[in-house]
Amino acid sequence: MMLRDMGGADLVSQGMDSIVTHANVKPPIQHGGDPKAAEARFGVPKDGWLDLSTGINPVAYPLGAVPQKRFARLPLKSECDAILEAARRAYSVPEKAAIVASPGTQALIQMVPTLFAPSSVSIMGPTYGEHAPAWTAAGHELEDVGSICAQAAQPAPFGVVVHPNNPDGRTQTVEGLLAFAEELHGRGGILVVDEAFADVTPDLSVTPHAGDDGLVVLRSFGKFFGLAGVRLGFAVTTFEIAEQLEEKLGPWAVSGPALWAGEQALRDPDWIATTRVRLQADAARLDALLQRSGLDIVGGTDLFRLAQSPKAQDIYQQLGRAGILVRPFAYRPDWLRFGLPGCEEDWVRLENALRS
Amino acid sequence: MMLRDMGGADLVSQGMDSIVTHANVKPPIQHGGDPKAAEARFGVPKDGWLDLSTGINPVAYPLGAVPQKRFARLPLKSECDAILEAARRAYSVPEKAAIVASPGTQALIQMVPTLFAPSSVSIMGPTYGEHAPAWTAAGHELEDVGSICAQAAQPAPFGVVVHPNNPDGRTQTVEGLLAFAEELHGRGGILVVDEAFADVTPDLSVTPHAGDDGLVVLRSFGKFFGLAGVRLGFAVTTFEIAEQLEEKLGPWAVSGPALWAGEQALRDPDWIATTRVRLQADAARLDALLQRSGLDIVGGTDLFRLAQSPKAQDIYQQLGRAGILVRPFAYRPDWLRFGLPGCEEDWVRLENALRS
């Protein structure tokens, strides 16, 4: 993974390919979250970068010092059991479902397609850019579709829905997702529901209903808890698929510090509840700020907002010159995705940069 | 990986299968490093466990507090570049070789066999138990061989040598390994040299000679630096194979804290040099202690010692009852592997337990 070019001298292309409609284009898949890559274009901002190019909560779960033994020794079975138990409670995973932990959801996104013989997959797009190449790499044909209904009409036995969707925030009903999973199971396939941003909409989550054949739900720890660097994600699915994923992941796949951080955060319902309220308020505040600046809000979740403007490219440049990085989209040059500012200073900075 | 049973109620079997001769036996592969699993048999020791069942340096590289941003945001490309540069220097990786970082060597052990169409592999055994099932899982036939010469005489195009070998410490010449890799390349295969414990014998390492076709060298960060929980490993190989491994690993495979810890430790030649000297002295001290207790030293590295005794099973039980966990071997009931005690108190405790 390390040599992969995740930056690039041209900022206009940086981030542009991360969310794709025709995803059988070869990598590099570009991502937000690395403003250093933008320095080739905009230089080093005098106040440092304000990175609003991701959907990661800017107010991280407060961690103390990692106990030394979590670095030193291999993770214990008891520690692995504990994180799964904590995740089961936090995500309301039912008894009938199995849960697997991984070093980030990305590993699961890449692994799930390799569990099945090459076939075809429909991906509800536009969406997060890593799903399509993972299925392609495993030999599956891609069918890009614009809605879950169009998806069900396709003959593909495999399906991917990001829920709520990134970047537009589209959601589905639990009933619709479960019915679609059952349909795909009948075709010999599965439905992958990537709930990377579902922490802010728990009532819409399909996770509490997982465990039946044909459904794999992915949960990302790092985004809602603001701890993307720890690398921790989960798959909630059948025991059979879980066992295959565990085999592929192998022993000690998740680091000691990740297990330690994850257990604390997932076992803190007060912080989770408070954070949901705060993110909702901040998302509303961001909408108001962007609307005052002439952008239309066209979607998003409480962790990011999708804005539209005929001047989006100019605004992107203007913000970049002010040291603020947001996410552009090659296929929709009128769209910009904004993450939430994390402190008052950053709110003011964004407001000023949009005004100037 | 999380549901995988790495413990078990029966301590005699715990650890016994970790190093196997006939490795196409199905998992669970048992490992050391989890003394909690021994509590079902021995109870909770009043002074806590002294875990000598691994080859992990008990005196960890001293880390400060992890910078909060390393937890919070996704690892940056610049941070990924920095760890590779640090590893290149620490391991004397030549310009002609590529290097890839992973969340532990285990991920690479499982990934490398999947890069090639199913064929056959010879594994110099007895050795670390995870290689054989990784090749089997990828569809390759196994040939267990007792020496690298026997290995070269096999028709298998793929080969695995753990170097120095675990648990007996056998080493090969650099010339021998390079010639074998060239031979296997001629057969359309590769040689995997797992140098998990090579930090204590840098002069014997084949890493500084990697980069030509047919050779993949694996390096483990956690053992020598006593930081097994961070999950960090490297593959040193051709640019072509490295690129395939990077694709399989995907973006952000290594956590922020692992990149941070690894860079510091790998860039500390003084600590590395001092530690090599200390481990050598401690290994000699352990040999003397075990010999005084009637065990013969039959091999090992400066990170673990392999002892032999007709009373090995009794000694294993005696130590277990004293809260000291060492590594037994199902295929050699007269062998026990000892990790190094990390402080004076632990040395005394081991000595007393062996004497009683």
Side-chain angles (χ1 to χ4, degrees):
Chain A
M1 44 69 56
M2 285 309 182
L3 299 178
R4 190 166 190 164
D5 185 9
M6 306 197 321
D10 181 5
L11 184 63
V12 173
S13 72
Q14 205 269 329
M16 300 287 273
D17 297 322
S18 175
I19 292 172
V20 287
T21 40
H22 298 286
N24 43 359
V25 175
K26 247 307 222 188
I29 303 154
Q30 302 289 4
H31 291 278
D34 200 344
K36 273 196 182 296
E39 290 179 3
R41 183 175 186 101
F42 291 114
V44 181
K46 66 176 169 41
D47 302 321
W49 282 103
L50 170 54
D51 183 13
L52 304 180
S53 69
T54 77
I56 300 165
N57 182 352
V59 184
Y61 184 84
L63 294 170
V66 185
Q68 202 272 338
K69 64 184 177 182
R70 293 293 192 136
F71 280 115
R73 57 161 167 66
L74 289 167
L76 305 180
K77 181 179 183 303
S78 56
E79 293 165 352
C80 297
D81 291 345
I83 193 88
L84 294 183
E85 187 51 38
R88 274 189 179 275
R89 289 192 200 189
Y91 299 142
S92 302
V93 176
E95 288 277 336
K96 66 177 177 181
I99 180 166
V100 181
S102 72
T105 314
Q106 178 65 31
L108 297 169
I109 288 175
Q110 294 191 214
M111 223 164 253
V112 169
T114 70
L115 301 182
F116 306 96
S119 176
S120 60
V121 62
S122 67
I123 300 182
M124 192 190 78
T127 194
Y128 182 60
E130 291 283 348
H131 287 284
W135 287 89
T136 304
H140 302 269
E141 293 289 320
L142 287 185
E143 297 169 3
D144 275 331
V145 290
S147 74
I148 193 170
C149 294
Q151 212 165 1
Q154 294 284 334
F158 295 91
V160 176
V161 175
V162 178
H163 181 245
N165 191 42
N166 174 9
D168 60 16
R170 267 181 297 166
T171 58
Q172 313 295 331
T173 63
V174 165
E175 293 69 26
L177 290 169
L178 292 177
F180 189 28
E182 196 179 342
E183 163 71 20
L184 294 185
H185 175 61
R187 297 180 198 172
I190 57 156
L191 175 64
V192 174
V193 180
D194 178 354
E195 295 204 329
F197 295 99
D199 302 64
V200 290
T201 48
D203 295 344
L204 296 174
S205 169
V206 77
T207 311
H209 309 277
D212 290 333
D213 286 332
L215 180 62
V216 177
V217 188
L218 306 181
R219 299 293 303 232
S220 169
F221 171 75
K223 293 174 181 71
F224 176 75
F225 291 98
L227 296 170
V230 309
R231 311 313 297 136
L232 179 61
F234 300 92
V236 179
T237 182
T238 65
F239 284 88
E240 188 188 349
I241 292 176
E243 195 177 339
Q244 293 176 58
L245 290 172
E246 286 150 18
E247 281 292 318
K248 292 239 174 201
L249 285 161
W252 319 299
V254 179
S255 74
L259 293 172
W260 170 82
E263 195 186 333
Q264 288 174 76
L266 289 166
R267 283 195 199 281
D268 195 338
D270 291 345
W271 189 91
I272 292 170
T274 308
T275 297
R276 281 191 187 124
V277 173
R278 182 185 58 73
L279 291 171
Q280 192 174 30
D282 283 357
R285 179 177 179 182
L286 183 55
D287 284 359
L289 193 162
L290 295 174
Q291 285 164 335
R292 279 201 306 278
S293 304
L295 292 118
D296 293 327
I297 304 302
V298 293
T301 73
D302 288 348
L303 282 160
F304 58 82
R305 305 306 294 164
L306 185 64
Q308 188 174 338
S309 163
K311 295 181 186 166
Q313 293 302 310
D314 295 339
I315 295 169
Y316 176 78
Q317 299 293 334
Q318 173 184 334
L319 291 174
R321 286 188 300 268
I324 299 173
L325 197 63
V326 298
R327 176 75 77 86
F329 299 93
Y331 61 91
R332 283 298 299 255
D334 57 335
W335 277 4
L336 290 177
R337 201 190 64 189
F338 287 76
L340 301 173
C343 62
E344 207 50 40
E345 188 187 339
D346 290 346
W347 282 102
V348 172
R349 189 171 165 190
L350 175 62
E351 182 144 31
N352 288 341
L354 283 167
R355 193 181 294 148
S356 63
Chain B
M1 42 64 62
M2 286 309 181
L3 298 177
R4 189 166 189 163
D5 185 8
M6 306 198 323
D10 181 5
L11 184 62
V12 172
S13 72
Q14 204 270 326
M16 299 288 272
D17 297 322
S18 175
I19 291 172
V20 288
T21 40
H22 297 285
N24 42 0
V25 174
K26 245 307 218 190
I29 303 155
Q30 302 290 4
H31 290 278
D34 200 343
K36 273 196 183 295
E39 291 180 2
R41 185 175 185 97
F42 291 114
V44 181
K46 65 176 169 43
D47 302 321
W49 283 103
L50 170 54
D51 183 13
L52 304 181
S53 69
T54 76
I56 300 165
N57 181 353
V59 184
Y61 183 83
L63 294 170
V66 185
Q68 203 271 339
K69 65 184 175 182
R70 294 291 193 138
F71 280 114
R73 59 162 166 65
L74 289 166
L76 304 180
K77 181 178 184 305
S78 56
E79 293 166 350
C80 298
D81 291 345
I83 193 88
L84 295 182
E85 187 52 37
R88 276 190 176 275
R89 290 192 199 187
Y91 299 141
S92 302
V93 176
E95 287 277 336
K96 67 177 176 181
I99 180 166
V100 182
S102 72
T105 314
Q106 178 65 30
L108 297 168
I109 288 175
Q110 294 190 213
M111 223 165 253
V112 169
T114 69
L115 301 182
F116 306 97
S119 176
S120 60
V121 61
S122 66
I123 299 182
M124 192 190 78
T127 194
Y128 181 61
E130 291 282 350
H131 288 285
W135 287 89
T136 303
H140 302 269
E141 293 289 318
L142 287 184
E143 297 169 3
D144 276 332
V145 290
S147 73
I148 193 170
C149 295
Q151 211 166 2
Q154 296 284 336
F158 295 91
V160 176
V161 175
V162 179
H163 182 246
N165 191 41
N166 174 10
D168 60 15
R170 268 181 297 166
T171 58
Q172 314 294 331
T173 63
V174 166
E175 294 71 25
L177 290 170
L178 293 177
F180 189 28
E182 197 178 340
E183 164 70 19
L184 293 185
H185 176 61
R187 297 180 198 172
I190 57 155
L191 176 64
V192 174
V193 181
D194 178 355
E195 295 204 326
F197 295 99
D199 302 64
V200 289
T201 49
D203 294 345
L204 295 174
S205 168
V206 77
T207 311
H209 310 277
D212 290 334
D213 286 332
L215 181 62
V216 177
V217 188
L218 305 181
R219 300 292 303 231
S220 169
F221 172 74
K223 294 175 181 72
F224 177 75
F225 290 99
L227 295 169
V230 308
R231 312 313 296 136
L232 180 60
F234 300 92
V236 180
T237 183
T238 64
F239 283 88
E240 189 188 348
I241 292 176
E243 196 178 339
Q244 293 176 57
L245 290 172
E246 287 150 18
E247 281 292 318
K248 291 238 173 202
L249 285 161
W252 320 298
V254 178
S255 74
L259 294 172
W260 170 82
E263 195 186 333
Q264 289 175 75
L266 290 165
R267 284 196 199 278
D268 194 339
D270 290 346
W271 189 91
I272 292 170
T274 307
T275 296
R276 281 192 186 124
V277 172
R278 182 184 59 74
L279 291 171
Q280 191 173 32
D282 284 356
R285 180 178 178 180
L286 183 55
D287 283 359
L289 193 163
L290 295 174
Q291 285 164 334
R292 281 202 304 279
S293 306
L295 292 117
D296 293 327
I297 303 302
V298 293
T301 73
D302 288 348
L303 282 161
F304 58 82
R305 306 305 294 164
L306 185 64
Q308 188 173 337
S309 163
K311 296 181 186 165
Q313 292 302 309
D314 295 340
I315 294 169
Y316 176 77
Q317 299 293 334
Q318 174 183 334
L319 292 174
R321 286 190 298 269
I324 299 174
L325 196 64
V326 297
R327 175 76 75 89
F329 299 94
Y331 60 90
R332 283 298 300 255
D334 58 334
W335 277 3
L336 290 176
R337 200 190 66 187
F338 289 75
L340 300 173
C343 62
E344 206 50 40
E345 187 187 342
D346 290 346
W347 283 101
V348 171
R349 188 171 166 190
L350 176 61
E351 183 144 32
N352 289 342
L354 283 167
R355 196 182 289 149
S356 62

